[in-house]
Amino acid sequence: MKSNDLNRIKLETLQDIGASKDGLQKEKNNRHTLRLANIPFDDHTSYLLKVTALLEVCVLALDGQGDFHSKMLSHHDLDTSVKMVLEVVIEMMPHDDMFKLKKLLTVLEEDIDNRYYPEKLKELIINSNHEKEKDIEKAK
């Protein structure tokens, strides 16, 4: 294999690694440049397991059964570490996914009285029920 071909393959490999969305990614805001951490999960089960594990670590640390801070950050106390992890857990919670799940369940269960039920669909169902009642009355 020629060295040019090998270098081209190496460059393509490096570009693929650099284009990966895992790890820290820069995101520019109006004033600041933030770094967003992308963590890969296999499915919702592994996602919830990792969030639960973080919460369990906080419980153990608060019970005094675990030493939670690293030696590099020895000037921080245990409560600060626990607060930081709890903030991360709160940010990781799938609030939007849970809201979507509630909406899906209300539509599938046809729970018209639920506040998450879509208004347009509710109107269509009510109108179709009225038309069915009129058809039944005409048939009598």
Side-chain angles (χ1 to χ4, degrees), residues 42-96:
D42 295 333
D43 55 5
H44 289 287
T45 305
S46 70
Y47 180 72
L48 290 174
L49 285 174
K50 289 180 182 182
V51 170
T52 305
L54 284 171
L55 289 173
E56 288 172 354
V57 166
C58 287
V59 169
L60 289 174
L62 289 173
D63 284 344
Q65 297 177 4
D67 194 15
F68 204 67
H69 55 278
S70 66
K71 292 183 181 187
M72 285 181 13
L73 302 173
S74 60
H75 59 283
H76 290 286
D77 60 347
L78 188 64
D79 291 338
T80 305
S81 299
V82 171
K83 287 177 188 175
M84 288 176 61
V85 171
L86 288 175
E87 288 174 4
V88 169
V89 168
I90 289 170
E91 289 175 3
M92 287 177 61
M93 293 300 286
H95 298 292
D96 293 338

Side-chain angles (χ1 to χ4, degrees), residues 128-140:
S128 67
N129 287 341
H130 288 301
E131 290 177 8
K132 287 179 186 177
E133 289 174 1
K134 288 179 184 178
D135 291 340
I136 291 173
E137 289 178 9
K138 287 181 183 178
K140 291 182 184 178

